[in-house]
Amino acid sequence: MSQPEAPDVTLTREQMHAHAQAWIAAWNRRDVEAVLSAFADHARFRSPIALQVTGCATLEGRPAIEAYWQEALGRIERLEFRLLAAICDEPVQRMVVHYEATLGDATRRACEIFVFRGGLKVEAEALYGDTAALPGGGAAGASEAAAPVSGMAKR
């Protein structure tokens, strides 16, 4: 369960960077509870892979985010993230985590944008550098159905 937002809490750059390292470690342990612990109950998460898994690219609230991550993890035999950089904007409480993601047998670069309020994430968005494997094949307005992301196919 998440902690309640504390309106007067502002994360320092060092705290944000530590959060990025803990986030990577939690994913590498496949510890969804640890990943979720930094999210506010009403958080919003956007991802093209969420669209593929759930039919919706934007998920509202921790229960929806957790259900998506549990479903997605069930489809991936191998998951390994490697932190490349954490870019922190302390005054506006935003951070971009740039990482290399190995999901199944495919490795791609990705980044996630986090917005913090009261010390917790209230918004997050996942962006992927290897768009050819994502829904629509990365082409704007692509009309054909996309193949599942490698390593994300339903078993």
Side-chain angles (χ1 to χ4, degrees):
M1 184 122 223
S2 73
Q3 312 246 338
E5 288 177 55
D8 58 339
V9 171
T10 300
L11 298 177
T12 65
R13 183 185 184 293
E14 292 76 21
Q15 288 170 316
M16 286 187 208
H17 196 269
H19 171 82
Q21 292 173 322
W23 181 81
I24 292 285
W27 274 119
N28 286 339
R29 291 188 314 271
R30 301 173 76 99
D31 187 348
V32 172
E33 248 335 287
V35 174
L36 279 169
S37 70
F39 279 80
D41 289 336
H42 62 279
R44 177 182 308 146
F45 178 76
R46 286 182 289 280
S47 166
I49 296 178
L51 174 64
Q52 206 171 335
V53 173
T54 70
C56 186
T58 301
L59 305 172
E60 301 276 347
R62 285 187 55 181
I65 297 167
E66 179 178 19
Y68 156 60
W69 284 338
Q70 293 291 0
E71 173 69 21
L73 276 176
R75 299 178 184 197
I76 302 168
E77 289 184 29
R78 178 176 177 220
L79 177 144
E80 183 180 340
F81 289 176
R82 185 173 66 85
L83 182 64
L84 300 174
I87 304 158
C88 308
D89 188 339
E90 187 176 338
V92 297
Q93 295 291 279
R94 288 183 189 253
M95 176 173 63
V96 175
V97 176
H98 184 212
Y99 62 102
E100 188 174 83
T102 299
L103 303 173
D105 59 357
T107 299
R108 66 182 48 86
R109 288 181 175 226
C111 69
E112 300 215 12
I113 304 165
F114 300 129
V115 177
F116 295 91
R117 295 290 176 264
L120 294 174
K121 292 178 195 169
V122 293
E123 288 192 41
E125 182 169 4
L127 306 167
Y128 302 95
D130 181 7
T131 58
L134 295 177
S143 59
E144 69 269 350
V149 173
S150 179
M152 293 293 294
K154 250 190 183 167
R155 293 189 223 191

